[in-house]
Amino acid sequence: MNPNAQDVKEEMLKAFPTKVARKRAQQVVLNKVAEDGSVPEVRANSRAVPGIITQRGCTYAGCKGVVLGPSRDILNITHGPIGCGFYSWLTRRNQTRPGPDDPNYMMYCLSTDLQDENIIFGGEKKLAQAVEEAYALFKPKAIGIFATCPVGLIGDDIHKVARDMKAKLGINVFAFSCEGYKGVSQSAGHHIANNQLFRHVVGTQEGPEQKPFSFNLLGEYNIGGDSFVLEEIFRKCGLNLKATFSGNSTYDQFATSHQVDLNAVMCHRSINYLANMMQVKFGIPWVKVNFIGAEATAKSLRRIAAFFGDKDLAAQTETVIEEGLAEVEAALQEIRPRTEGKTAMLFVGGSRAHHYQELFKELGMKVVAAGYEFAHRDDYEGRRVLGSIQVDADSRNIEELEVTADPDRYRPRRTQEELERLQAEGNEVGDYRGMMADMEDGSLIVDDISHHESEVLIQRYKPDVFCAGIKEKYIVQKMGVPCKQLHSYDSGGPYAGFKGAVNFFRDIDQMVNSRVWSLVKPPWRREAQGLAAQYGRS
Ligand code: CFM
């Protein structure tokens, strides 16, 4: 029996001081989907309360780690103390597959290793030296420079260094003012990364003539090999994938990505900025897709095929879907009887807490609570609320680029009527309906969940699996509940597409049906074992 969600909410908040409880009350919401699809308002993208243990990361993580991290042949240099570079060194399981002669810098960790002296006298010279040294060693096509907190505090002009180096070396050098403190979470880093990629890379080369059905996949970072699975599916359908931002892609693909006819947006949170800017400047429409979940994959493939409106493409897509679903169905027949009726919670990032619900639905499991770490209201409530999101001082801190149609290269790929027809057919054209519309009434939505709140949720709901990240994993498991990492997939994956769905079903089956969890005695199952001691007297 599930507990009453309102009671749980009150219990979560009662440990907090009044002011904190008042703020958190706006971020913990009982879901209710109205007839017109609207849902209750969730406070999101606001500062975490100091002292609360949040799941969030920093702006530098969102920019250097998330969006640029998977790029294979852009040489990424962290300008800052060595720790920022070291701890962002390939911890995200993003994979890439270069050809035998292609450069691959992903396994390197380059840092300017700022010292006290540089903090006092400035680090620009050291940065310029580092860029020259890196160029001499690797001869890359492009170098990205990433600012860390102290760089912003001492005021190094990294953009000037980038300009000077670009002129001197004759390669593309660009910088990101993604100091960790710049925004309230890694979300700000996504925006900064989108801006600079758009400004300095996208559309800087003209490639060969476009093949038919060319598109980019935006917001797919090839964690655990997801992109590899998707690339194969697209190839089988007869689609031509140009660039993936940024899983398993190259600088040249980014630079020529403005030539395609469609952008398919997977992770709305991290890359909707680029999708919108490319639409305004080049006339490329975007559709929302989700390749997590077999049905979701089928729906997304049909959405892309519908956009291109070609009979043969549609037929080939249906064949691929049929094959894929057959494989998934066979696995579900075996697994679903063991997972049916179990419960899950997902507290992850800015899109997976939504996307992965598809896979749990297919397993017959119920999602009782979910939330994002750092997503915005539109990811919860849908883009329909965009106009009513208040811009606060923290968001104003992040640059909004002024974008206009390119005088020579703007080419509307579809007429307004065609796009409206596709949207009317349910295709989320330039639209995202958000997480809550897909969740049951009465489920709990918790934005930027804290450690304390997770504990209360687990104690009260005793879910069969809790999905989060490495920081949460062992605390959750000590409570006798398996924790599936949905950032790194633990050592598993890929989980995208049809093959990925089968992998996920097997992994979750093992987790929720292992008897090992009943051997863990969480604190509330133990007898009261108060510690007793006496002060010694002499
Ligand atoms: Fe997008 Fe991501 Fe995510 Fe994200 Fe991330 Fe990630 Fe994530 Mo970790 S880009 S919002 S900043 S889907 S690294 S691949 S898993 S928190 S839900």
Side-chain angles (χ1 to χ4, degrees):
M1 229 342 246
N2 273 330
N4 178 300
Q6 183 60 34
D7 287 353
V8 177
K9 173 174 174 176
E10 279 162 26
E11 190 179 334
M12 282 160 92
L13 302 184
K14 79 176 180 223
F16 296 132
T18 321
K19 210 172 131 196
V20 177
R22 209 179 298 134
K23 175 176 187 282
R24 290 300 300 156
Q26 300 168 348
Q27 293 175 276
V28 183
V29 170
L30 267 69
N31 194 32
K32 177 122 189 69
V33 187
E35 203 116 299
D36 68 347
S38 62
V39 291
E41 182 174 333
V42 181
R43 182 166 178 181
N45 192 32
S46 68
R47 290 183 188 188
V49 178
I52 277 188
I53 304 177
T54 159
Q55 298 180 320
R56 286 176 169 176
C58 68
T59 299
Y60 161 80
C63 181
K64 191 268 181 191
V66 173
V67 180
L68 272 297
S71 65
R72 173 202 307 164
D73 57 357
I74 299 175
L75 197 63
N76 295 325
I77 302 180
T78 295
H79 187 33
I82 193 66
C84 302
F86 184 81
Y87 289 109
S88 57
W89 182 15
L90 263 196
T91 50
R92 186 155 160 266
R93 293 195 75 230
N94 38 250
Q95 303 179 3
T96 198
R97 205 176 258 166
D101 299 321
D102 297 337
N104 177 13
Y105 309 128
M106 247 166 59
M107 65 288 248
Y108 294 101
C109 166
L110 284 87
S111 163
T112 52
D113 184 23
L114 276 191
Q115 301 292 324
D116 307 5
E117 195 187 298
N118 311 122
I119 301 289
I120 297 163
F121 298 108
E124 288 174 20
K125 270 195 204 132
K126 198 169 188 186
L127 175 61
Q129 270 170 11
V131 173
E132 285 198 69
E133 192 182 331
Y135 177 74
L137 282 171
F138 296 100
K139 297 277 176 335
K141 285 185 180 161
I143 294 180
I145 297 165
F146 300 85
T148 57
C149 295
V151 168
L153 296 174
I154 64 177
D156 274 0
D157 189 348
I158 56 171
H159 302 285
K160 179 176 185 303
V161 175
R163 275 195 307 275
D164 292 351
M165 285 296 124
K166 185 175 176 176
K168 184 164 181 186
L169 304 173
I171 59 162
N172 199 356
V173 185
F174 38 90
F176 300 83
S177 288
C178 57
E179 291 83 355
Y181 60 76
K182 197 75 178 256
V184 301
S185 70
Q186 51 268 64
S187 168
H190 302 148
H191 196 163
I192 293 162
N194 280 228
N195 286 350
Q196 296 301 74
L197 276 176
F198 182 74
R199 198 181 242 150
H200 295 286
V201 184
V202 171
T204 54
Q205 290 177 23
E206 296 301 327
E209 263 303 286
Q210 279 310 289
K211 296 183 192 141
F213 318 133
S214 280
F215 75 111
N216 301 314
L217 181 60
L218 268 53
E220 159 50 50
Y221 302 96
N222 202 19
I223 311 297
D226 281 350
S227 301
F228 299 147
V229 173
L230 298 179
E231 286 165 18
E232 194 191 329
I233 293 180
F234 298 149
R235 192 180 44 74
K236 280 190 187 160
C237 290
L239 290 162
N240 279 304
L241 177 64
K242 172 68 140 194
T244 299
F245 283 85
S246 49
N248 197 35
S249 281
T250 63
Y251 174 78
D252 291 345
Q253 287 167 340
F254 298 149
T256 54
S257 61
H258 64 295
Q259 294 178 315
V260 302
D261 289 328
L262 174 71
N263 279 324
V265 173
M266 174 92 172
C267 170
H268 174 263
R269 181 65 270 134
S270 64
I271 209 130
N272 74 87
Y273 319 94
L274 189 60
N276 287 319
M277 291 188 289
M278 286 176 81
Q279 177 148 27
V280 175
K281 185 167 176 183
F282 300 108
I284 307 168
W286 64 271
V287 293
K288 177 72 180 70
V289 291
N290 171 24
F291 293 104
I292 301 298
E295 287 298 335
T297 299
K299 192 168 153 189
S300 298
L301 290 174
R302 288 188 180 121
R303 189 168 280 180
I304 295 173
F307 175 85
F308 287 112
D310 178 90
K311 261 226 238 80
D312 294 340
L313 175 71
Q316 187 55 25
T317 303
E318 287 307 320
T319 311
V320 173
I321 291 174
E322 202 178 311
E323 263 177 42
L325 288 181
E327 190 187 343
V328 169
E329 202 35 56
L332 275 180
Q333 283 216 343
E334 180 213 332
I335 295 168
R336 191 170 158 135
R338 292 193 294 268
T339 49
E340 185 101 55
K342 294 196 184 288
T343 55
M345 291 180 175
L346 303 90
F347 293 98
V348 210
S351 76
R352 293 187 172 178
H354 179 200
H355 288 167
Y356 275 76
Q357 293 193 25
E358 292 282 341
L359 286 167
F360 284 114
K361 262 183 223 154
E362 289 171 356
L363 284 167
M365 292 176 64
K366 187 175 156 74
V367 175
V368 288
Y372 298 120
E373 271 170 60
F374 52 73
H376 301 195
R377 277 184 60 203
D378 36 324
D379 306 290
Y380 284 106
E381 304 168 48
R383 284 179 73 91
R384 62 161 79 188
V385 302
L386 273 178
S388 61
I389 296 181
Q390 283 183 349
V391 181
D392 61 8
D394 289 313
S395 353
R396 213 168 284 127
N397 218 7
I398 314 301
E399 188 184 14
E400 284 283 347
L401 297 191
E402 285 268 347
V403 185
T404 49
D406 188 294
D408 307 315
R409 297 183 293 176
Y410 179 86
R411 179 168 60 81
R413 287 5 188 222
R414 294 288 181 274
T415 63
Q416 200 49 38
E417 295 83 70
E418 284 168 325
L419 294 178
E420 277 163 19
R421 179 182 54 79
L422 285 165
Q423 170 72 357
E425 289 165 3
N427 285 309
E428 288 183 295
V429 180
D431 191 21
Y432 174 42
R433 290 186 196 129
M435 174 207 274
M436 288 162 77
D438 282 344
M439 289 184 70
E440 283 185 19
D441 283 358
S443 45
L444 261 183
I445 312 296
V446 188
D447 179 60
D448 183 22
I449 197 169
S450 69
H451 179 143
H452 160 71
E453 292 157 352
S454 315
E455 279 191 350
V456 173
L457 277 185
I458 291 172
Q459 288 185 21
R460 294 294 302 265
Y461 284 92
K462 303 191 176 55
D464 293 291
V465 64
F466 189 97
C467 302
I470 187 66
K471 299 198 291 286
E472 295 77 41
K473 186 174 181 85
Y474 298 98
I475 291 156
V476 173
Q477 297 197 155
K478 282 175 188 173
M479 297 175 85
V481 172
C483 178
K484 180 65 193 164
Q485 287 194 70
L486 283 192
H487 302 263
S488 70
Y489 303 163
D490 297 299
S491 55
Y495 292 143
F498 305 110
K499 277 204 182 79
V502 175
N503 288 339
F504 192 77
F505 298 154
R506 294 203 190 290
D507 290 350
I508 293 298
D509 178 28
Q510 275 192 357
M511 289 186 107
V512 301
N513 289 305
S514 163
R515 272 172 294 184
V516 72
W517 304 109
S518 63
L519 302 176
V520 182
K521 279 238 157 65
W524 67 89
R525 271 199 224 130
R526 270 178 234 151
E527 297 287 315
Q529 294 169 337
L531 277 179
Q534 268 189 331
Y535 285 109
R537 283 197 196 129
S538 56

